[in-house]
């Protein structure tokens, strides 16, 4: 089971955090800081895995963004790379050649997509099409109930 | 048209005026925060926005709540506090609007933890939504539950989840299955509720539902034997599902680089691995499938390798047939050659786990593993190194050590010390002969430079010391090795070993018999240079200066030059160096006759290897129990031999002392002399400095002597019943044997300077005792040597006239006190004694120790401050100097009062000492 997923930039700025195991806010920050520093200091030649406490940390860099997951000992780190890749593909499909800015400005969308791919730290849907379909349907629901017209300053803006 | 526009404008303005201005949009806030150029500026923007968000919350503004929470979530991600939004999330969830719910649940997942106060509220809203008709509302609730469910929430909402497991909607079934997974992890006893639904889910065709069901079932099987047994029957079904999956043609929906749904395949393999663990029958059912997956999976991409990796684990966990196991190890072997570093890394970690199961299969890939030592990725190199150490056997020792030594020379500093220490233990374990062993250690010292741990130095020294046959060769090789390193500063451990060896066996080096011809002056030049080099550390210099001193005894013609070199350190800033130099000067000047015997060669240091060998042998078992037995009631005669074999364990001996009975003294005597050989202490200078702390100066005149007697509450003749039995026990011990059974009592042997600085020897010597005080003669300490040497020493007794015969003045269950006369200080009318107080058990700590003494009026007593009041665990002594003035040559008598705390209980002991030997304290 995945314990958490973090997205952060090359400058070490957190872009997304998803915790499947409860930690107090303080611990979360400490863990994040520790892992961000460790991973950013690793050289590109190094492999994508590191042993961290009793977990395995799998990370991968896509352009300026690092995707980092902590999984348990019996989990498959190569497959975790595939999960990360699947998430990136979904973001890419949804935003259309996604970039870091898309995720910054539409962070809630990025969370929604992740929540359709994973649940409770496990894969819930292996079909890209189904994930995007579910997201589109929910976006539509949101759109329908947001009043359109003269006053466009509605919703999240 | 124009009119319409104007009307629109007017209405717009009117509405704006009536309504509060709309709060900042989410994207605008993000833009503003990103535009902030400094952290302070950003903080200002955030604080301002947080204030306005709090306002909208306070006003219960339902229109903008959603936007406020979304903004708060962004602010939260930047690391600012956002807990005040928790309740607002719950309000959003309760709203009928989908947008509100979506953001509300997102906020709940990010801001809520498993705390009690929000638990009931969130449980209620979740329960509501789980029963909703709208699939996406239920979906959101399930997603939230699966992410933040606590134990209480799990208990309260499990029935809802169970109901949804049977829903006709696949979208909800898959989510419910993972919720159930979370609930089972939180509260395993709720598992039973989900069992019936799982049976149908596991046969599901829909990939999403199937993968979640498999995840859930795997979790349940790992937690409950009953469930495990039930699903074991499903193995054939699962195998069939997996086969269909592999054989099914291309399906764009689930294809990943030519592999059909790798996520599902891996999960299925994992469940099979759990179900088939250690079971032959199960293995039989899976063999075919595992072989098929292992051979047919496309390996050009990471996905395929992810599946193969899982298959290897399955083969290893399930009791698969040997052919399949070889296939699995071969897959890992192929992984090692893969261009993807991640795949090489997992191969090495898996091989590390596999190596115990199947040495031979892994051995076949040894050369590939060795190649990984040269990998560009440091984490792979480290893994490869760890695996290499696991692969060393007698047969491949040569090649493996050669490769690892090469690796050691080139690798990163942080790996070097681990590698060096591992190599040392490999060499120790597999060495075919001492010479090979020594040369390997030498190469380790050369390759690892300053990155070797201290234990490598001590174990090399121990090996040389313990093996006379290699000594001439060793000292020559070490000398050559040290000469050939580029800079001695980078190889200080090597230099230390070299110094020690040259000090001990310098005569071999300079005798001209060695292969290399070395001039004494050359050696001295080198040592001098070393001593003055600014980059050489203190320990190395300590080794160096002692080696020089020792060399003066080996090569007499150098003595003068050595004296000059060493004398320069008489004013060295470091007090230890200074002391050594001054002591050596004094030794040459006033005690030159002592120098030869004092600087004699060290007796062989008993090796750990032998100790280990004995432990592994038949006697091993017996030895373990020895400490207890001896204190118990083994008859003296039969223990004699055993104690001797145990001689190098000072730990056990101290236990022995604790429980000794008079009859056993001769046995312990034998053993003890061996113990001393393994004790090194340079009596570091501080012992003479730290006396200043407590002052208890009972300067003795006639009158004060009386006062001192008074504090004990009675005249010295009164016997105190409580201590009576112990007194008898002590008094009945014949003095000579006692003296030899305690550290450094009488007959100080002239054997040796220990030339190994104490700091470096910690690795081999378990307990150090400072045996002789540092105040009056070489703090560098003397050893009782081999038993046979004792006889010779008796003849040289006059040499040691600084010490007189000591006596055991007191002993109880926790402490012992020895009085050591310091003859050098004593005069005809006064005796100077050193009181040495030690603890009997290494496991005990004595604190708040106060030693008080009183003498009859005819004598005068002066007590110097003690060296301390605490005896730490693991050994140590308190020393205190006392002077007894005895102008009328009266019979010595003394009354002692001791107070101390042991194991938290304070003790007060009174004791009379009246059995001083007639010539006590006189030369």
């Amino acid at each position: 089971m995945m314990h958490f997923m973090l997205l952060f930039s090359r400058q070490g700025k957190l872009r997304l955090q998803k915790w499947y195991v409860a930690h107090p806010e303080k611990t979360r920050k400490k863990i994040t800081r520790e892992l961000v520093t460790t991973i950013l200091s690793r050289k590109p030649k190094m492999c994508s895995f590191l042993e961290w406490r009793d977990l395995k940390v799998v990370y991968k860099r896509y352009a300026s963004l690092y995707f980092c997951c902590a999984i348990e000992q019996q989990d498959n780190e190569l497959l975790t790379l595939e999960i990360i890749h699947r998430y990136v593909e979904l973001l890419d499909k949804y935003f259309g050649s996604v970039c870091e800015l898309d995720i910054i400005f539409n962070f809630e969308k990025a969370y929604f997509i992740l929540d359709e791919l994973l649940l409770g730290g496990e894969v819930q849907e292996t079909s890209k099409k189904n994930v995007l379909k579910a997201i589109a349907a929910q976006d539509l629901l949101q759109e329908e109930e947001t009043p359109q017209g003269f006053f466009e300053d509605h919703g999240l803006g | 048209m124009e009119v319409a526009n104007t009307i629109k404008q007017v209405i717009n303005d009117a509405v704006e005026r009536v309504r509060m201005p709309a709060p900042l949009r989410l994207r605008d806030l993000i833009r503003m925060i990103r535009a902030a150029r400094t952290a302070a500026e950003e903080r200002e923007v955030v604080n301002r926005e947080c204030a306005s968000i709090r306002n909208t919350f306070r006003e219960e503004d339902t229109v903008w709540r959603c936007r406020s929470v979304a903004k708060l979530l962004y602010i939260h991600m930047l690391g600012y506090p956002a807990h005040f939004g928790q309740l607002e999330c719950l309000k959003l969830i309760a709203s009928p609007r989908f947008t509100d719910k979506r953001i509300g649940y997102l906020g709940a997942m990010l801001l809520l933890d498993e705390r009690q106060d929000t638990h009931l509220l969130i449980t209620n809203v979740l329960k509501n939504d789980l029963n909703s008709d709208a699939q996406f509302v239920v979906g959101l609730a399930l997603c939230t539950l699966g992410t933040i469910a606590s134990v209480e929430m799990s208990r309260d909402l499990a029935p809802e989840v169970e109901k949804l497991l049977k829903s006709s909607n696949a979208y909800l079934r898959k989510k419910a299955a993972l919720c159930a997974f979370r609930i089972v992890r939180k509260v395993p006893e709720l598992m039973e509720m989900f069992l019936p639904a799982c049976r149908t889910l596991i046969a599901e065709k829909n990939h999403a539902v199937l993968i979640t069901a498999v995840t859930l079932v795997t979790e349940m099987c790992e937690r409950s034997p009953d469930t495990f047994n039930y699903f074991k029957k499903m193995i054939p079904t699962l195998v069939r599902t997996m086969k269909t999956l592999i054989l099914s043609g291309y399906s764009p929906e689930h294809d990943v680089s030519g592999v059909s749904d790798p996520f599902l395949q891996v999960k299925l393999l994992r469940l099979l691995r759990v179900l088939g663990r250690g079971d032959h029958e199960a293995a039989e059912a899976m063999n075919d499938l595992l072989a098929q997956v292992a051979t047919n999976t496309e390996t050009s991409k990471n996905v395929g390798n992810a599946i193969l990796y899982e298959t290897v684990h399955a083969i290893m966990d399930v009791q698969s047939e040997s052919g399949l196991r070889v296939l699995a190890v071969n897959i890992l072997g192929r992984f090692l050659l893969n261009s993807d570093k991640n795949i090489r890394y997992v191969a090495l970690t898996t091989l590390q786990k596999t190596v115990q199961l199947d040495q031979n299969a892994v051995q076949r890939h040894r050369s590939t593993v060795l190649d990984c030592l040269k990998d560009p990725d440091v984490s792979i190199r480290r893994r490869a190194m760890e695996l290499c150490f696991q692969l060393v056997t007698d047969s491949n020792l040569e090649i493996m050590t050669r490769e690892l030594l090469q690796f050691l020379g080139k690798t990163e500093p942080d790996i070097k010390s681990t590698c060096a220490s591992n190599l040392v233990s490999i060499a120790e374990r597999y060495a075919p002969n001492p010479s090979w062993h020594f040369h390997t250690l030498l190469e380790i010292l050369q390759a690892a430079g300053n990155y070797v741990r201290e234990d490598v130095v001590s174990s090399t020294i121990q090996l040389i010391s313990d093996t006379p046959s290699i000594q001439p060769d060793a000292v020559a090789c070490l000398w050559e090795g040290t000469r050939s390193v580029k800079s001695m500063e980078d190889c200080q451990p090597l230099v230390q070993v070299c110094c020690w060896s040259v000090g001990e066996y310098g005569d071999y080096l300079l005798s001209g018999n060695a292969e290399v011809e070395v001039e004494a002056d050359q050696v001295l030049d080198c040592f001098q240079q070393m001593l003055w080099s600014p980059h050489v550390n203190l320990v190395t210099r300590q080794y160096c200066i002692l080696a020089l001193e020792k060399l003066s005894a080996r090569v007499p013609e150098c003595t003068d030059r050595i004296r000059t070199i060493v004398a320069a350190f008489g004013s060295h800033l470091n007090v230890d160096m200074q002391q050594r130099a001054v002591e050596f000067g004094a030794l040459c000047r006033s005690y030159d006759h002592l120098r030869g015997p004092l600087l004699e060669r060290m007796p062989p240091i008993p090796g750990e290897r032998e100790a280990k060998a004995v432990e592994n042998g038949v006697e091993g078992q017996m030895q373990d129990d020895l400490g207890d037995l001896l204190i118990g009631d083994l008859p003296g005669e039969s223990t004699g031999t055993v104690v001797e074999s145990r001689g190098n364990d000072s730990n056990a001996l101290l236990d022995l002392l604790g429980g000794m009975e008079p009859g056993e003294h001769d046995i312990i005597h034998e053993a003890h002399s061996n113990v001393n050989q393994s004790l090194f202490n340079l009596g570091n200078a501080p012992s003479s400095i730290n006396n200043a702390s407590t002052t208890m100066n009972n300067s003795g005149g006639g009158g004060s002597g009386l006062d001192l007697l008074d504090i004990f509450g009675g005249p010295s003749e009164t016997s105190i019943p409580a201590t009576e039995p112990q007194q008898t026990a002590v008094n009945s011990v014949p003095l000579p044997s006692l003296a030899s059974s305690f550290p450094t009592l009488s007959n100080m042997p002239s054997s040796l300077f220990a030339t190994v600085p104490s700091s470096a020897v910690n690795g081999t010597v378990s307990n150090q005792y400072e045996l002789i005080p540092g105040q009056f003669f070489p703090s560098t300490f003397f050893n009782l040597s081999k038993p046979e040497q004792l006889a010779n020493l008796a003849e040289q007794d006059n040499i040691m006239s600084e010490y007189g015969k000591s006596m055991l003045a007191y002993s109880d269950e926790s402490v012992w006190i020895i009085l050591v006369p310091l003859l050098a200080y004593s005069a005809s009318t006064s005796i100077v004694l050193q009181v040495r107080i030690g603890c009997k058990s290494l496991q005990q700590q004595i604190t708040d120790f106060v030693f008080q003494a009183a003498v009859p009026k005819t004598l005068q007593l002066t007590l110097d401050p003690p060296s301390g009041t605490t005896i730490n665990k693991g050994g140590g002594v308190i020393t205190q100097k006392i002077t007894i003035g005895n102008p009328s040559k009266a019979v010595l008598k003394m009354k002692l009062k001791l107070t101390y705390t042991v194991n938290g209980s304070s003790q007060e002991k009174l004791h009379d000492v009246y059995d001083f030997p007639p010539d006590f304290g006189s030369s």
Side-chain angles (χ1 to χ4, degrees), chain B residues 195 220-222 224-235 274-275 279:
Chain B
L195 258 178
M220 296 202 292
C221 288
E222 291 215 90
S224 143
D226 287 344
T227 323
F228 175 83
N229 286 331
Y230 175 78
F231 282 103
K232 222 166 163 175
K233 291 180 226 133
M234 302 281 279
I235 290 178
V274 169
L275 289 175
D279 184 336

Side-chain angles (χ1 to χ4, degrees), chain A residues 130-157:
Chain A
N130 286 350
V131 173
L132 293 170
K133 229 164 59 186
I135 294 290
Q138 291 175 76
D139 283 354
L140 190 67
L141 275 181
Q142 220 178 302
E143 230 169 85
E144 278 170 353
E145 64 185 16
T146 309
Q148 305 290 317
F150 299 144
F151 316 114
E152 276 175 21
D153 194 11
H154 278 277
L156 304 172

Side-chain angles (χ1 to χ4, degrees), chain B residues 338-377:
Chain B
N338 200 295
S339 59
D340 184 341
K341 51 193 182 297
N342 294 331
I343 290 166
R344 293 198 301 272
Y345 180 85
V346 296
L348 287 168
T349 45
T350 318
L351 282 171
Q352 258 180 304
K353 285 178 212 147
T354 319
V355 77
Q356 286 97 346
L357 290 173
D358 203 339
Q359 259 281 347
N360 290 339
V362 182
Q363 284 289 356
R364 241 170 281 144
H365 299 279
R366 203 179 55 229
S367 60
T368 329
V369 176
L370 283 172
D371 285 342
C372 288
L373 287 176
K374 298 173 190 114
D375 203 281
D377 180 352

Side-chain angles (χ1 to χ4, degrees), chain B residues 270-296:
Chain B
R270 169 127 174 71
L271 177 55
L272 287 172
R273 168 181 159 199
V274 169
L275 289 175
R277 201 168 277 161
D279 184 336
H280 277 292
E281 218 173 298
E284 207 104 317
M286 293 176 211
N287 273 341
D288 191 29
L289 171 77
L290 292 176
Q292 200 172 350
V293 179
T295 43
N296 289 352

Side-chain angles (χ1 to χ4, degrees), chain B residues 615 620 622-627 641-653 671 675:
Chain B
E615 264 168 43
M622 203 172 147
Q623 302 244 334
D624 286 341
D625 304 325
L626 230 146
T641 48
V642 192
V643 174
E644 256 183 320
S645 67
R646 175 94 177 181
N648 50 27
D649 190 338
S650 47
N651 231 330
L653 258 157
V675 171

Side-chain angles (χ1 to χ4, degrees), chain B residues 250 255-261 265 298 301 303:
Chain B
Y250 175 76
D255 181 87
V256 179
S257 346
V259 178
S260 164
D261 207 336
Q265 284 199 45
E298 168 68 45
K301 292 270 164 52
V303 256

Side-chain angles (χ1 to χ4, degrees), chain A residues 92-118:
Chain A
D92 200 60
K93 273 258 171 64
Y94 183 82
F95 289 108
S97 16
V98 68
C99 69
E100 194 186 333
L101 280 179
D102 289 321
I103 295 172
I104 295 171
F105 281 97
N106 301 285
F107 71 94
E108 85 282 9
K109 298 270 171 41
Y111 276 119
F112 295 150
I113 296 170
L114 185 60
D115 283 341
E116 287 296 333
L117 174 64
L118 301 179

